[in-house]
Amino acid sequence: MAYDGPFTIEPKVSEFLSLDPAIFIDGDRVASEGSATLPVYDPSSGRVIADAVDATAGDVDRAVRSADAAFRDGRWRHMRPADRERILLKFADLVLEKGETFAQLETLEQGKSIAISRMFEVGASSEWMRYVAGLSTKISGRTFDTSLPGGPQHWTTYTRREAIGVVAGIAPWNFPILIALWKVMPALATGCSVVLKPSEVTPLTALLLAQTAIEAGVPAGVFNVVTGGGAVAGVALTNHPLIAKISFTGSTATGKAIGQTAISNMTRVTLELGGKNPAIVLKDADLATVIPGLMAGGFLNGGQVCAAASRVYVEAPLYDDLVGALTAAINGMTVGAGLDPAAQVNPLVSAAHQAKVLSYLDDAKAQGANIVSGAAVPEEGYFIQPTLVLEPGDNLKLTREEVFGPVLGITKVADAEEAVARANDSSLGLGASLWTRDLGSAMTLISRIEAGTVWVNSHVYIDPNMPFGGFKQSGIGRDFGIDWLDAYTELKSVCIAH
Ligand code: TXE
């Protein structure tokens, strides 16, 4: 298979695309025990650029057993933390060194702008990798005093954190490298082994990541990859009795199914699920900040961002100016394939996802919503025009469900009270933003917003040191931050009489 589009790609990328489909077990690319493959499409043309293995339950079992053997023999978890840290820093260096290959591959299979691939999938990834690598040497427990019976007997009591075992990382397709690393890196930093399953839509870069980890010195078997669909490979992985923890990012529906499996097996689980993220614009907000902020918050990566702004609630005096400025902005966007670095509107990830986003717009039209379409898009490829939906109404599907496309609903509200009530009227609670020049109003409203992250005068900024995760049905647990590794360890209390 190959890319035959109009842009020049690196020879290394062409070579990678032409490799026989494989999964990654015990430090190497290996063939599946079955023969099923999944086509990988270039979203800008709809043409197939590669085939990936659609892993069987037997493949998954092989990968998990390899990871389990690597965990049990201690080759990684009993390594000096400083050595693990050094290897993981090297891993980050190599991802940067191969950055253009990673970026082009990601743009080819995902459709996103090459600029976003370079900045986030490679640049941000390397920063997250270094942050987590550094946590390898910070794992610690506590000593504590107890009230156990005294006398001649003395007690020393403390906790230690121990690597949890084999981690299943289930990744989505919107940021295939970055989000995969959010699962793989904390697992590796604690001394766990990991089996990563990327989305069936974007399976390629995970395989290159695993290869790169080996080159950095991660022992064979510690980081395995199975590609394939959710129904077979995903289910086999999350149900496998040797999996100690699942880290999942994806839809709320799949997250709930995985959560139920996890509870029945007592597998530890972190779920980062969808969002329906409000942006509240108060009447004193500075539109010169709000407009670029909402354009980035709503349209970055085609809106295929779990924390993307999707419901804007604006106080009445600013409504007309805001709608006018956003309309001009979406009309001024340049359109093109992800490999065109100037194009701001790129295709969505797949034909199925394009159809899903269009179905929300069709429903809104049928319900009489006022739709403002931006820059025109080509017929070939999975493009969607950047779109505003004015006064969508609280019960429209598009207001209640995650659309995950370049679509912003804009609603006029009387005051901040109404904005907060409508913003909180959602089963999801991942992120939210407040736009105001009055820090006093912001400080009062922050605590009333039901979301895992509240941004003020910005939206969608994330950082390795800032915990991230959802309230309500947006998930369970938090990623990032100094306590991130807790979710990849068991806490053991030790009680010594002496
Ligand atoms: O997600 P799924 P899909 C949202 C977004 C999007 C919707 C559907 O709204 O339109 O989800 O996308 C694997 N057991 N997000 O269908 O099904 C699957 O193979 C184990 C939000 O892609 O959740 C893939 O690797 N695994 C989001 C991963 O789960 C299973 C990012 C995600 O797929 C499985 C992406 C199963 N039963 C989509 N079924 C975010 N939170 O950022 C599927 N999978």
Side-chain angles (χ1 to χ4, degrees), residues 174-405:
N174 53 335
F175 287 91
I177 299 174
L178 185 61
I179 298 182
L181 286 167
W182 293 346
K183 296 161 187 340
V184 169
M185 287 300 293
L188 296 183
T190 43
C192 295
S193 302
V194 59
V195 179
L196 171 67
K197 195 198 82 61
S199 165
E200 56 273 38
V201 192
T202 52
L204 299 180
T205 43
L207 295 161
L208 186 59
L209 272 182
Q211 180 68 54
T212 306
I214 293 289
E215 289 163 24
V218 173
V222 168
F223 176 7
N224 300 319
V225 176
V226 287
T227 57
V232 176
V235 167
L237 182 57
T238 48
N239 279 276
H240 200 291
L242 292 177
I243 294 294
K245 179 195 164 70
I246 302 165
S247 174
F248 170 79
T249 302
S251 65
T252 297
T254 302
K256 285 181 182 177
I258 288 177
Q260 275 162 0
T261 301
I263 285 296
S264 63
N265 297 334
M266 281 299 147
T267 311
R268 279 49 174 157
V269 65
T270 310
L271 303 171
E272 200 269 273
L273 310 177
K276 189 70 219 174
N277 312 293
I280 296 176
V281 184
L282 301 184
K283 57 178 179 285
D284 72 325
D286 175 17
L287 272 193
T289 310
V290 175
I291 300 306
L294 288 184
M295 288 300 294
F299 298 108
L300 177 84
N301 211 35
Q304 300 165 117
V305 177
C306 51
S310 63
R311 296 180 290 142
V312 180
Y313 297 101
V314 52
E315 277 192 290
L318 266 196
Y319 180 84
D320 289 342
D321 287 349
L322 181 118
V323 169
L326 284 177
T327 303
I330 62 170
N331 275 302
M333 291 175 89
T334 47
V335 180
L339 284 176
D340 173 358
Q344 299 159 313
V345 178
N346 312 112
L348 299 191
V349 70
S350 66
H353 189 56
Q354 179 195 36
K356 180 182 158 183
V357 174
L358 284 174
S359 77
Y360 282 104
L361 292 174
D362 290 344
D363 175 69
K365 272 181 210 149
Q367 307 290 324
N370 182 359
I371 294 183
V372 180
S373 304
V377 295
E379 269 180 29
E380 188 184 52
Y382 313 139
F383 289 89
I384 299 250
Q385 286 177 277
T387 305
L388 308 179
V389 183
L390 306 184
E391 298 299 331
D394 290 343
N395 295 321
L396 205 61
K397 260 176 71 176
L398 182 143
T399 306
R400 306 224 66 85
E401 297 175 16
E402 184 177 52
V403 176
F404 228 57

Side-chain angles (χ1 to χ4, degrees), residues 311 313 393-394 411-413 417-426:
R311 296 180 290 142
Y313 297 101
D394 290 343
T411 303
K412 189 190 295 180
V413 290
E417 280 308 308
E418 184 188 346
V420 170
R422 292 175 86 166
N424 285 341
D425 178 19
S426 171

